[in-house]
Amino acid sequence: MEKRTSAFARILAAVALIGAVIVIVAVVSGSLGESDDGDKGKQTTTKTTKRPQTKAATYVVKSGDTLVSIAHRTGVPVASIIALNPDVDPQILIAGETLKLR
């Protein structure tokens, strides 16, 4: 019985070691991949895109549009579109209908 426990302990230790090596390789690979462009020590920033700002005061609903897609396309929050268009059913938008955006 003692030999089985010893063998199990060795296998468990080997699996843990392999796991640790994989983690180390992943960390080293990730840090090397960031500086492949020759800019060692420089921080890279990610640009975040803002919602497009609408200049139009109205939007004509197209087939397949939803309030969410219109809000994303125009940069006007859904709540604002609903507030500006209280007579419009947000569940049933009709193609060709005009929505106020401001």
Side-chain angles (χ1 to χ4, degrees):
M1 189 72 159
E2 193 172 314
K3 285 187 177 185
R4 283 188 188 175
T5 306
S6 177
F8 179 75
R10 288 180 187 169
I11 291 171
L12 191 59
V15 169
L17 180 62
I18 291 170
V21 170
I22 290 172
V23 169
I24 291 169
V25 169
V27 169
V28 170
S29 295
S31 66
L32 291 177
E34 292 174 5
S35 62
D36 280 346
D37 59 358
D39 294 334
K40 290 185 179 179
K42 291 186 180 179
Q43 287 184 333
T44 57
T45 58
T46 305
K47 270 190 174 179
T48 56
T49 57
K50 291 184 180 180
R51 284 187 166 180
Q53 294 301 318
T54 184
K55 294 184 181 188
T58 61
Y59 178 84
V60 178
V61 177
K62 297 178 185 87
S63 179
D65 276 345
T66 64
L67 284 182
V68 173
S69 68
I70 294 168
H72 183 70
R73 187 175 295 129
T74 62
V76 178
V78 172
S80 296
I81 297 172
I82 291 172
L84 291 168
N85 301 281
D87 55 326
V88 174
D89 183 355
Q91 300 296 322
I92 305 170
L93 295 178
I94 301 168
E97 118 183 272
T98 301
L99 299 177
K100 294 177 190 173
L101 299 178
R102 320 189 239 154

